[in-house]
Amino acid sequence: MPVAMAAGGGGGGGRVLDCRSFWKAGAYEAPAAPSHEFQDALETGDFDRARVHPKFLHTNATSHKWAFGAIAELLDNAVDEINNGATFIKVDKSINLKDNSPMLVFQDDGGGMDPEAVRRCMSLGFSTKKSKTTIGQYGNGFKTSTMRLGADAIVFTRAIRGSDVTLSIGLLSYTFLRRTMKDDIVVPMLDFKIQDGDIVPLVYGSQGDWDSSLKIILDWSPFSSKEELLQQFQDVGSHGTKVVVYNLWLNDDGLLELDFEDDDEDILLRDQGSASGGVTKGQKEIVQQHISHRLRFSLRAYTSILYLKKFDNFRIILRGKPVEQICIIDELKFKKVVTYKPQVSHDSQVVSVKVDVGFAKEAPILGIFGMNVYHKNRLIMPFWKVLQEGSSRGRSVVGVLEANFIEPAHDKQDFERTPLFIRLETKLRQIIVDFWKEKCHLIGYQPTDPHLRSQYKATLKDSGGPAQVHHKASTARRTAGLSSNLLPETYDDIAAVGLANNGSHLQSSGQAEENNMESEGLDEDLVEFGSGVLDPNFVEKLSEENIALFTRREELRQQDTQLKRKIGDLEHELEETKRKCGQLAAELKVRKNQQNLPYM
């Protein structure tokens, strides 16, 4: 049965929108307010504030073209709470008991929001985030992200401010606003406080307003009573925030846009996993497993590289399992660091940007390439194709940089094409071309420099051809061991290529850089993939080895999972044994005391 059919009517006791597809949900005629309402508004001064029509909630959310971009916004909010003691953010699926439809839940143990802060969160365009380290800055991320993922969202937050402990609930419901034909955005809020150990209502306006907000929340949320609402704070703990997004959007086929069924430890995007690149079946298999492909449809893959620096005491827990952070820089071979100093402005301080560049470990079999651009530790553009895909120039070159000197777009998936960004693009293109010209021979291409090309051919001839050179490189790699993801270690230039043998005076990468091994021009015909530069035997052997490594990686992953389960079982058994030992010790002590009692 399709998910949409199994989901029933949706949240709010079956009250759902007529159209559940996000990209169509904003196409409706907004009711025009009667003329007498405008006259009343003028007389009461209601026009002193700008009114925001509910349709704007949907329009505002269209800034997120990609559902994972919306999820990343909510993750950012939790990461920003690390400064307030947050140690985790949980992302999981829950069930709406009113109609058995799936809900998306985000929960962190940050500082939480007091009543004033939660009202700022639910307002449009308000932000107090001005830190140089926090990711959020526009005050719009919560609204755009939740409304992009589903039609409705409810927030539970608990905060401790001095001696005051407050609990707040806010409902942002596009369904409620649409179905009740509101012409202004109404966000019902409930506040409580802890008084003498009891949870009591905290009324800022009138009791009637508080009761009205409670009724709206119970009618249009997945929860049917005040007790059910307060029960949600048991998950939150002493402080933190829980966001529940429900009435999740469907695709054009009537299925949930987010797929919770295919992988119990992941959240997938439907219709986003079609393979691209690769020629043979084996190559396509490698492409499908590579992070540059999986991040488009696997939330676990995307979040694994979402933040540049690995967290010390913070975890992203996706469907009950922590996400293992991957540092792309560690996945490169023949790495090089290039320093770029952008011309930000004449009166500003000099900015220095470190660009790490290298070949993907799968080079040259797979044409995976691109720059991964971060901003304030957050990934903005993954595997950005700075160069055109048609040419082999720059093939398999991957780079990483943190560009804090330019501002990202509002959806944090791109940068505005300002002159500063265009200069950055030009510089990155040059960095890739220079790196390719200098080191392309290390992955099996002929050097672009004529002098080096003749040396390379002589080395191949003396070494028995590309296959023999590759055999030596493979032996050196196997001796060095395997990295964390079971692909070859980052290579030293000499060990990996073996070009220093037989009297060749090609040097290691460090020596080559000291000698400024550069050529003034680039004959593109010399490096076109498939034009005869790469030896077929060399390609075939590399392909076979890559496939074998990926197969071995999957086997080791399964073994790792089994070992972790076994460790968990043993730890549980140990705790149970300790508990029984404690009970036996207590019983033994009681019996000894009884034996030592004097007879009456």
Side-chain angles (χ1 to χ4, degrees):
M1 179 182 294
V3 176
M5 296 176 62
R15 300 177 178 184
V16 296
L17 296 171
D18 296 331
C19 179
R20 292 288 305 282
S21 174
F22 173 75
W23 296 107
K24 299 176 182 178
Y28 73 97
E29 292 297 327
S35 58
H36 66 83
E37 289 190 12
F38 287 99
Q39 186 63 36
D40 293 342
L42 287 171
E43 292 175 357
T44 59
D46 194 36
F47 277 179
D48 288 344
R49 66 180 177 89
R51 306 182 70 182
V52 183
H53 194 276
K55 198 169 182 178
F56 177 73
L57 281 178
H58 182 272
T59 304
N60 194 36
T62 58
S63 62
H64 286 294
K65 309 300 181 187
W66 191 38
F68 282 178
I71 292 177
E73 284 273 10
L74 296 173
L75 296 179
D76 291 342
N77 289 339
V79 171
D80 286 342
E81 283 295 300
I82 293 177
N83 296 328
N84 295 321
T87 62
F88 68 82
I89 169 71
K90 295 179 180 179
V91 184
D92 212 336
K93 169 193 173 185
S94 184
I95 297 297
N96 184 344
L97 296 180
K98 284 187 177 180
D99 56 22
N100 293 321
S101 65
M103 305 187 296
L104 188 59
V105 181
F106 301 84
Q107 181 184 328
D108 67 63
D109 64 340
M113 293 178 282
D114 59 23
E116 180 183 357
V118 75
R119 280 160 175 77
R120 292 198 298 264
C121 172
M122 308 294 272
S123 299
L124 292 167
F126 186 95
S127 177
T128 58
K129 293 181 179 179
K130 300 299 181 183
S131 169
K132 294 182 179 180
T133 58
T134 54
I135 303 167
Q137 56 185 317
Y138 297 116
N140 203 29
F142 174 80
K143 279 74 66 174
T144 60
S145 55
T146 53
M147 294 295 98
R148 173 61 185 87
L149 297 170
D152 309 288
I154 185 168
V155 179
F156 302 88
T157 184
R158 178 171 177 150
I160 302 174
R161 300 292 185 266
S163 60
D164 297 329
V165 180
T166 58
L167 297 79
S168 298
I169 303 171
L171 177 69
L172 187 62
S173 174
Y174 188 54
T175 303
F176 158 66
L177 298 170
R178 281 280 309 274
R179 293 294 299 273
T180 56
M181 305 296 286
K182 301 292 184 186
D183 62 354
D184 201 357
I185 294 179
V186 177
V187 181
M189 308 283 295
L190 295 176
D191 300 293
F192 302 86
K193 63 180 178 180
I194 304 297
Q195 184 173 313
D196 298 328
D198 296 325
I199 301 176
V200 298
L202 184 59
V203 180
Y204 285 101
S206 66
Q207 185 63 44
D209 292 338
W210 198 95
D211 294 338
S212 177
S213 293
L214 175 62
K215 184 178 186 308
I216 293 173
I217 290 176
L218 295 181
D219 286 346
W220 294 92
S221 79
F223 308 100
S224 303
S225 66
K226 185 174 77 172
E227 290 69 27
E228 284 188 32
L229 291 173
L230 294 178
Q231 189 176 1
Q232 301 305 308
F233 289 101
Q234 295 181 5
D235 295 335
V236 174
S238 59
H239 52 81
T241 301
K242 181 177 182 180
V243 178
V244 180
V245 183
Y246 58 103
N247 280 338
L248 302 175
W249 296 115
L250 311 178
N251 64 11
D252 291 340
D253 296 326
L255 301 174
L256 284 172
E257 186 178 19
L258 298 176
D259 179 8
F260 300 97
E261 308 302 325
D262 284 352
D263 191 334
D264 292 338
E265 296 180 344
D266 202 352
I267 297 175
L268 307 178
L269 276 181
R270 296 187 190 276
D271 308 322
Q272 297 293 320
S274 58
S276 62
V279 178
T280 67
K281 181 179 179 181
Q283 289 175 343
K284 287 183 179 180
E285 182 179 346
I286 299 174
V287 169
Q288 291 172 352
Q289 292 298 322
H290 196 271
I291 189 71
S292 63
H293 175 73
R294 289 188 56 79
L295 67 84
R296 296 184 296 175
F297 63 91
S298 165
L299 183 60
R300 183 169 293 276
Y302 176 55
T303 52
S304 69
I305 62 171
L306 185 59
Y307 300 101
L308 178 61
K309 303 177 184 66
K310 292 187 177 182
F311 299 119
D312 294 327
N313 189 31
F314 184 86
R315 295 183 301 167
I316 299 173
I317 304 173
L318 178 58
R319 304 200 71 178
K321 181 180 179 182
V323 173
E324 181 181 354
Q325 284 188 272
I326 296 175
C327 182
I328 300 176
I329 298 173
D330 296 339
E331 304 295 307
L332 305 179
K333 58 184 180 182
F334 309 121
K335 290 183 292 189
K336 179 180 180 180
V337 179
V338 180
T339 301
Y340 168 51
K341 295 183 178 180
Q343 298 178 355
V344 179
S345 61
H346 295 293
D347 55 350
S348 63
Q349 295 180 348
V350 177
V351 176
S352 181
V353 179
K354 185 182 73 170
V355 181
D356 290 272
V357 62
F359 286 114
K361 288 182 176 178
E362 298 79 8
I365 300 302
L366 299 182
I368 298 163
F369 69 99
M371 284 288 179
N372 296 272
V373 187
Y374 289 78
H375 177 81
K376 292 183 179 179
N377 197 44
R378 158 76 135 80
L379 181 62
I380 304 298
M381 300 176 68
F383 293 92
W384 172 27
K385 302 296 189 293
V386 179
L387 295 175
Q388 294 181 355
E389 295 195 45
S391 171
S392 68
R393 183 177 60 173
R395 182 180 176 87
S396 301
V397 178
V398 176
V400 178
L401 71 147
E402 187 175 27
N404 294 338
F405 59 93
I406 49 178
E407 295 296 332
H410 281 262
D411 64 348
K412 298 189 181 74
Q413 298 297 312
D414 201 351
F415 294 96
E416 300 295 340
R417 293 198 64 84
T418 61
L420 192 60
F421 175 78
I422 294 174
R423 289 197 296 270
L424 172 64
E425 182 178 22
T426 302
K427 180 62 179 180
L428 294 179
R429 186 182 297 116
Q430 186 62 46
I431 290 173
I432 291 176
V433 171
D434 290 345
F435 180 83
W436 171 263
K437 289 160 59 178
E438 178 183 331
K439 296 180 182 289
C440 66
H441 61 281
L442 301 181
I443 60 170
Y445 286 88
Q446 289 188 13
T448 57
D449 186 292
H451 180 63
L452 293 175
R453 192 185 312 136
S454 61
Q455 297 174 3
Y456 179 73
K457 289 181 178 179
T459 302
L460 292 182
K461 182 178 179 180
D462 294 338
S463 303
Q468 183 65 24
V469 172
H470 177 63
H471 173 72
K472 294 176 182 178
S474 301
T475 303
R477 290 199 299 272
R478 294 191 187 98
T479 303
L482 295 176
S483 67
S484 59
N485 72 346
L486 308 181
L487 289 176
E489 284 278 9
T490 301
Y491 305 44
D492 289 332
D493 289 355
I494 292 179
V497 185
L499 295 182
N501 297 328
N502 302 313
S504 172
H505 61 274
L506 285 179
Q507 303 171 356
S508 68
S509 61
Q511 293 169 319
E513 288 165 14
E514 290 176 2
N515 294 338
N516 193 24
M517 191 172 63
E518 296 283 346
S519 59
E520 292 299 323
L522 177 63
D523 185 358
E524 201 163 322
D525 293 334
L526 288 174
V527 295
E528 283 296 317
F529 190 71
S531 61
V533 176
L534 278 175
D535 186 277
N537 295 330
F538 183 71
V539 173
E540 184 178 354
K541 286 184 176 293
L542 277 178
S543 180
E544 291 175 356
E545 182 177 348
N546 268 327
I547 294 171
L549 285 170
F550 271 92
T551 303
R552 178 62 176 157
R553 181 179 70 172
E554 293 305 314
E555 293 175 355
L556 290 175
R557 276 182 174 174
Q558 293 177 4
Q559 293 178 12
D560 182 61
T561 302
Q562 293 174 356
L563 287 173
K564 286 180 179 178
R565 289 176 180 172
K566 188 173 182 179
I567 290 171
D569 294 340
L570 290 173
E571 288 177 344
H572 178 73
E573 185 177 338
L574 179 61
E575 291 298 323
E576 188 66 20
T577 304
K578 287 181 179 179
R579 185 182 65 80
K580 290 180 179 179
C581 288
Q583 291 177 347
L584 291 172
E587 292 178 5
L588 183 61
K589 185 176 181 181
V590 171
R591 290 181 180 180
K592 285 183 177 180
N593 291 336
Q594 290 176 346
Q595 291 176 357
N596 294 331
L597 288 175
Y599 291 100
M600 300 298 293

